[in-house]
Amino acid sequence: MTGQAPDAAIIERLARAALARIPEPFQGYLVDIVLVIEDFADDETLDAMGIEDPFDLTGLYRGRPVGEKSAWDGVTMPDEIHLYRRPLLDEWVHTGVTLESLVNHVVVHEVGHHFGLSDDDMHALEDSAE
């Protein structure tokens, strides 16, 4: 069927490809990250972030940055990158960038949070991943 919006499987495939393009030495720290594709962030997440419009959040990193982890942490939940399909599709339509580029941008930004990187560091990482 043509004319249908890309589904979660397509977004996930693009996100996994973006993760695979992250260069070393970062790549080795990404093997345990869980990728979650949802239509929208849940109300609890939006409220916690002070976001009223669910279309304003395209991605989210949940976890502790690599530099804050310790062998003494004990059992913890895996780090997660959440991508929100409907806001991504909305931004894709409104910006005219390719969906692949948009998903790559959001994934790299969330990976940056995983490493505790600044926005400038994230832009440099994104440039090297394209």
Side-chain angles (χ1 to χ4, degrees):
M1 289 182 201
T2 59
Q4 288 188 332
D7 63 11
I10 291 171
I11 302 293
E12 181 175 354
R13 191 167 48 251
L14 293 172
R16 291 200 183 283
L19 282 171
R21 287 190 299 272
I22 302 290
E24 288 295 348
F26 304 103
Q27 188 61 236
Y29 293 95
L30 300 175
V31 295
D32 293 329
I33 286 188
V34 175
L35 189 58
V36 180
I37 312 299
E38 302 168 287
D39 273 351
F40 290 102
D42 59 40
D43 289 338
E44 181 179 336
T45 298
L46 295 170
D47 290 345
M49 297 184 74
I51 297 174
E52 291 184 24
D53 185 349
F55 281 95
D56 288 342
L57 186 61
T58 56
L60 178 69
Y61 168 73
R62 285 194 176 149
R64 288 186 53 206
V66 171
E68 295 178 14
K69 294 182 180 186
S70 164
W72 304 105
D73 286 344
V75 178
T76 60
M77 296 299 292
D79 296 321
E80 301 174 335
I81 291 178
H82 292 252
L83 296 178
Y84 302 113
R85 187 181 77 89
R86 296 281 309 280
L88 282 166
L89 296 179
D90 192 60
E91 187 170 332
W92 171 50
V93 168
H94 287 97
T95 63
V97 301
T98 67
L99 185 57
E100 180 180 13
S101 292
L102 178 59
V103 170
N104 187 73
H105 173 78
V106 174
V107 166
V108 169
H109 185 86
E110 300 315 327
V111 166
H113 289 303
H114 177 64
F115 291 104
L117 298 177
S118 70
D119 284 339
D120 287 341
D121 291 336
M122 285 187 222
H123 291 299
L125 178 61
E126 184 175 10
D127 290 344
S128 69
E130 290 182 344

